[in-house]
Structures are given as C-alpha cells and as structure tokens.
Amino acid sequence: MNNPKLILFTGFLGSGKTSLLLKTARHLAQQQKQCAIIVNEVGEIGIDNLQMKKMGYDVWEIFGGCVCCTLAVSLEETIEKLTANYAVEYILMEPSGAADPKALFQPLKHCGFAKENLNNVFILDPTRVEMFEAVLEPYLESSIPLADIAVINKIDVATAPELEKSEAIIRKYNQTVPVLKINVNELSDNQIEEILK
Ligand SMILES: Nc1nc2c(ncn2[C@@H]2O[C@H](COP(=O)(O)OP(=O)(O)O)[C@@H](O)[C@H]2O)c(=O)[nH]1
Ligand SMILES: [Mg+2]
C-alpha cells in the first residue's frame, strides 16, 4: 500500500473549505502529483459532472488526473479502496459540515494514518468571526486545539480589526499552531506548500 498524506479541511459552513481544497488540488495536479478528493456528494465540489470522467462506481477523474470519490461507505473503506486502486500521494477531504473533526481521528488511526501523515487545516472566516464566537464557541473550542495549521482567509475583504480578532481567537484555543493569512484567489505556491506540510 502506498502511504498518502491526508489533508483535512475543517471549519464552519461557508468559511472557504471547498475553495481552498480545489486550489490545493489544482496545484498538486500542476506539479504532477497524484491526488484524490473525498466528498460526500460529487456536487459538493461544484465541478460540473460533465467535466468529470466517470472511472468506476463512485470515482471520477477531474482536472489533471486527480480522482474524486464519494464517501459512499465508511471513511476507512473509502481510503482503503483509494489507496489499493490509485497511486495517490495526497488525499484531500472536506468533512461534512456537521461532523465533529474529533470523531474523524479514530477511524483514521484505524487505517494507519500516523500523525505525520495527517494535516488538519482549520479555516476561519474573519468576516464572520464575531458571530462565530457568540454562537459557535463550543465548535471553536473543540476544533482549534486539533488544528495543525490555522488559516484565516478572505484577507481581501476583511478589516484589520476582524483579522486581529480572528488571530486572537485562534491563540485563545491554541498557542502554538501556525497561522496563515490568505486570499484564496491569490494564493502563492509557498502558501499552498504550508498547507501540504
Ligand atoms: N473574497 C474572498 N472570498 C472567499 C475566499 N475564500 C472563500 N471565499 C468565498 O467564500 C464562499 C464560501 O466558500 P466555500 O469554499 O464554498 O466554503 P465552505 O462552505 O467552507 O466549503 C464562496 O463564495 C467563496 O468564493 C477568500 O479568500 N476571499
Ligand atoms: Mg464546501
């Protein structure tokens, strides 16, 4: 079995997970790196089904030879099937909005994912951070300590106080996690490499 790196994109609905996941996949495809995307439903990543070549029951080929598959069975089975059939170096996954990231780690451990092969990218939308803090604090409290990297995105539209507030919230729950500030539409290769680390 090959030993792919799994990149999890976590955060609230609308925070920018899919956007960053697709940018990362395109970057990998350009670097001729084999990658797979796991989604709950194909429609979720917003790529027209017609642009995707069906390769099997629930696997499609998308840009640059990346494959995309649905989480039709358990996460363990999906990953086993992927690694058995495709020589993927990276698996990119956006857990469903309601999923508690904590609940993902046990099944991932079962399929042999060591900590160094797992990168949990937590994305925080600074333009909505006040609202998140007020009503979704338990989610922040359970997610941010588990992050390997915290991304504050939308720097093209956020105000300076919103950015400061976002960083303060991340630091409140995790004093050591690296923080990366991005505009997803102007990502540098270095920023993507940080996400893949
Ligand atoms: N201006 C701006 N918009 C962004 C950025 N990242 C994501 N978005 C927008 O935020 C919205 C939600 O993004 P999406 O990736 O679907 O979020 P998800 O629900 O977490 O998967 C979309 O309209 C994106 O175009 C960013 O860095 N800057
Ligand atoms: Mg999404």
Side-chain angles (χ1 to χ4, degrees), residues 118-143:
L118 181 64
N119 206 12
N120 180 15
V121 181
F122 178 81
I123 302 161
L124 188 60
D125 173 354
T127 65
R128 294 189 299 158
V129 75
E130 297 276 349
M131 183 268 281
F132 290 155
E133 195 188 21
V135 297
L136 297 165
E137 203 180 356
Y139 182 91
L140 293 169
E141 201 175 345
S142 67
S143 298

Side-chain angles (χ1 to χ4, degrees), residues 23-83:
K23 282 282 159 85
T24 308
R26 282 187 202 278
H27 172 87
L28 288 169
Q30 275 163 12
Q31 311 269 311
Q32 324 289 332
K33 300 237 167 80
Q34 292 296 314
C35 83
I37 299 174
I38 300 179
V39 293
N40 292 288
E41 284 169 52
V42 196
E44 252 172 40
I45 55 166
I47 291 179
D48 195 318
N49 283 351
L50 296 175
Q51 289 175 26
M52 302 166 70
K53 191 172 115 207
K54 194 152 187 172
M55 299 177 76
Y57 175 56
D58 59 358
V59 179
W60 290 262
E61 185 179 315
I62 54 177
F63 44 78
C66 284
V67 296
C68 175
C69 74
T70 58
L71 198 50
V73 285
S74 72
L75 182 57
E76 288 106 311
E77 275 182 70
T78 303
I79 290 176
E80 272 162 28
K81 217 163 72 180
L82 266 176
T83 51

